[in-house]
């Protein structure tokens, strides 16, 4: 004989129906509350502005002498001996506070290399014996289209990082057998005369899961 549970008695069946009816009514009431949003409306999300597209541009923001040559642009600023005398280095003039006076003819140059103007002396970089070249601290001459060794003569650690690709920007191929790689020059990002890079406002963060920490109200999708 099978050992079945006893069939519900009449009184038990009525009790079950009573409970099931109660639960159905309870769920229907809850559904109605959700539909009318009786618990209050969720906070609407503020619209996050899109990032300024200029921050996403991949073209370097400065053109170096080498870029100007490649683009066949006006190079008159580099025709030093169009104005200066050979064999006669231009004299450096200072004001009463020993600040370098940049002459009118070079008013496009605003010196600001280092806090406290620590590296504003023109001949720290330009070669006074030959204005058409730059002068590395150890006396080597480098041309205007090869700036990194000049910067590296004073900024050793940064130059080392740059050479290894940790500072600045390298693009192209990891696998050199597939193609070449390009490394931006220091002067594609830093103005040699005023190299500090202006700080930028950071892009806005994402939406918070709970914009109101007190009510733990979830956010509603932006319209
Ligand atoms: C449009 C003409 C012109 C050109 C081009 C020019 N210079 Fe000059 N530069 C001047 C004049 C004018 C002065 C101030 C007069 C002087 O002291 O001889 C001057 C002054 C200077 C000084 C001294 C700055 C100071 O603060 O006293 C330096 C260094 C110098 N020039 C470097 C250069 C170099 C390097 C180039 C090329 C990359 C160049 N110049 C191209 C006209 C020019
Ligand atoms: C003759 C040495 C010398 C050379 C060459 C030189 N620098 Fe500097 N640089 C300095 C000194 C000194 C400071 C200031 C450090 C400080 O204030 O603590 C400085 C500061 C800086 C800073 C920090 C920003 C600032 O203004 O404080 C940057 C970036 C920089 N240099 C980039 C360059 C680049 C790029 C070149 C090549 C075009 C270059 N430097 C060439 C000596 C040099
Ligand atoms: C930290 C090194 C450094 C110092 C200091 C410096 N220069 Fe330069 N200068 C350069 C480099 C590098 C270039 C080439 C820029 C490029 O390729 O973008 C340049 C370019 C120039 C040019 C041609 C382009 C232009 O902007 O007109 C002139 C003129 C010039 N410098 C004059 C001066 C004078 C004058 C001083 C001093 C008041 C001075 N420089 C100080 C590194 C320096
Ligand atoms: C792709 C752009 C890029 C190139 C290329 C680049 N730099 Fe920079 N460099 C930066 C930025 C961005 C900073 C950070 C500025 C900041 O933190 O305010 C910086 C910071 C620096 C500083 C200041 C570091 C400090 O600790 O304060 C120095 C010095 C410097 N660079 C030198 C160089 C030299 C030298 C080269 C070339 C050998 C070079 N940079 C190439 C973008 C560049």
């Amino acid at each position: 004989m099978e050992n079945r549970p006893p069939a519900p008695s009449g009184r038990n069946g009525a009790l079950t129906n009573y409970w099931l009816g109660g639960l159905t009514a309870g769920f229907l009431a809850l559904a109605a509350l959700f539909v009318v949003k009786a618990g209050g409306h969720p906070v609407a999300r503020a619209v996050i502005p899109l990032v300024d597209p200029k921050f996403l541009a991949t073209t370097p923001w400065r053109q170096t002498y080498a870029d100007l040559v490649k683009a066949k642009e006006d190079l008159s600023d580099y025709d030093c001996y169009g104005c200066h005398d050979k064999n006669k280095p231009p004299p450096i003039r200072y004001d009463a506070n020993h600040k370098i006076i940049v002459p009118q003819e070079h008013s496009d140059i605003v010196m600001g290399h280092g806090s406290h103007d620590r590296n504003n002396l023109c001949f720290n970089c330009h070669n006074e014996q030959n204005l058409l070249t730059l002068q590395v601290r150890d006396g080597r001459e480098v041309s205007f289209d090869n700036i990194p060794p000049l910067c590296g003569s004073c900024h050793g650690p940064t130059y080392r990082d740059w050479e290894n690709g940790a500072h600045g920007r390298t693009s192209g191929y990891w696998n050199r057998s597939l193609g070449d790689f390009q490394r931006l020059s220091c002067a594609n990002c830093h103005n040699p005369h005023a190299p500090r890079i202006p700080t930028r406002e950071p892009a806005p963060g994402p939406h918070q899961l709970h914009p109101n920490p007190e009510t733990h109200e979830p956010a509603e999708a932006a319209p």
Side-chain angles (χ1 to χ4, degrees), residues 9-215:
S9 69
R11 206 174 89 81
N12 256 348
L15 207 60
T16 308
N17 287 342
Y18 173 76
W19 274 109
L20 284 178
L23 278 172
T24 309
F27 279 122
L28 281 177
L30 268 178
L33 283 179
F34 287 144
V35 167
V36 300
K37 295 191 176 159
H41 291 264
V43 190
R45 280 175 169 177
V47 177
I48 297 181
L50 293 176
V51 172
D52 188 336
K54 80 165 184 261
F55 291 150
L56 307 175
T58 52
T59 39
W61 65 1
R62 260 198 110 248
Q63 284 200 307
T64 62
Y65 172 79
D67 299 326
L68 297 178
V69 171
K70 234 183 268 164
K72 298 201 166 59
E73 293 210 20
D74 175 27
L75 292 172
S76 55
D77 279 347
Y78 291 91
D79 181 20
C80 314
Y81 290 123
C83 301
H84 291 283
D85 273 346
K86 282 198 179 164
N87 312 318
K88 204 172 144 235
I92 308 267
R93 296 189 180 84
Y94 301 92
D95 69 10
N97 297 321
H98 206 72
K99 275 202 168 216
I100 287 191
I101 303 171
V102 179
Q104 191 67 44
E105 285 75 5
H106 290 304
S107 57
D108 61 319
I109 295 175
V110 177
M111 286 308 299
H113 196 132
S115 42
H116 315 289
D117 301 334
R118 242 171 281 196
N119 187 34
N120 282 359
L121 183 64
C122 317
F123 298 133
N124 278 358
C125 301
H126 292 278
N127 181 356
E128 49 196 307
Q129 306 306 333
N130 178 6
L131 292 180
L132 300 176
T133 61
L134 297 163
Q135 177 168 240
V136 179
R137 291 299 85 212
D138 62 11
R140 267 180 303 152
E141 281 182 50
V142 295
S143 60
F144 274 107
D145 56 15
N146 185 23
I147 296 169
L150 168 77
C151 312
S153 68
C154 293
H155 295 288
T158 315
Y159 184 71
R160 176 201 58 205
D161 294 348
W162 175 85
E163 266 191 313
N164 292 315
H167 188 98
R169 195 174 90 203
T170 307
S171 38
Y173 291 89
W174 288 109
N175 182 350
R176 301 280 142 80
S177 67
L178 291 176
D180 216 355
F181 74 104
Q182 298 86 38
R183 185 156 289 159
L184 289 184
S185 164
C186 315
N188 276 128
C189 301
H190 298 282
N191 175 350
H193 300 134
R196 182 185 298 283
I197 293 189
T199 45
R200 296 171 169 183
E201 215 178 300
H207 283 298
Q208 283 169 289
L209 191 57
H210 300 294
N212 186 345
E214 290 190 348
T215 61

